[in-house]
Amino acid sequence: MVHVLSGRILLRPTDPARSHAFYGRQLGLAVHREFGTGPERGIVYFLGGGFLEVSGRSETPPSPALRLWLQVEDVTAAQDELIDRGVPIVRPPLREPWGLIEMWIADPDGTRIVLVEIPPDHPLRYRPGI
């Protein structure tokens, strides 16, 4: 299971069953709750510090400007798990100039998802005096 630490979003997929398979089985997100019936039922996935609701249906994919940012403990371990589950890696893990380690994947509608690891020495994690 990819251990997500924070994130929040509502998605209206073009193919709910395909998106539920991606977020539930391929990413391995835990189900917080389900509602409604039939193929367009809603599923809310637990994201550690937030939730991802995948419900309803849209005739068009989300805007390419939409991005999901999910923090994980170990992006390399997440990459190995996702490859084993058949998730294509859009961009492998790289340490960015701002110090975060980021890897990119995409959901079935093409929504880009960045998995982020915050190294122990990064200012987002290390805050002297607090």
Side-chain angles (χ1 to χ4, degrees):
M1 172 194 270
V2 174
H3 298 283
V4 176
L5 301 178
S6 65
R8 295 183 181 104
I9 197 78
L10 166 66
L11 289 178
R12 300 266 188 240
T14 58
D15 182 338
R18 182 179 66 176
S19 291
H20 292 311
F22 175 78
Y23 287 104
R25 285 195 299 269
Q26 287 188 287
L27 286 190
L29 298 180
V31 173
H32 173 67
R33 66 183 177 93
E34 296 184 47
F35 57 92
T37 58
E40 295 179 24
R41 76 187 188 288
I43 300 178
V44 179
Y45 298 97
F46 182 67
L47 293 178
F51 301 96
L52 170 66
E53 180 179 326
V54 180
S55 62
R57 178 185 298 268
S58 175
E59 295 301 316
T60 59
S63 163
L66 175 67
R67 303 284 194 266
L68 300 179
W69 191 92
L70 303 176
Q71 183 181 334
V72 297
E73 292 181 67
D74 182 339
V75 76
T76 302
Q79 177 185 24
D80 293 342
E81 291 177 30
L82 293 172
I83 288 171
D84 287 347
R85 294 182 181 149
V87 176
I89 306 301
V90 173
R91 197 197 78 183
L94 294 172
R95 188 171 189 125
E96 300 292 353
W98 45 90
L100 300 177
I101 302 168
E102 298 184 0
M103 176 182 73
W104 288 85
I105 61 174
D107 81 359
D109 280 327
T111 300
R112 293 294 173 116
I113 303 167
V114 61
L115 299 179
V116 177
E117 176 183 337
I118 301 173
D121 61 342
H122 193 278
L124 287 175
R125 185 182 298 253
Y126 177 70
R127 297 172 61 190
I130 296 179

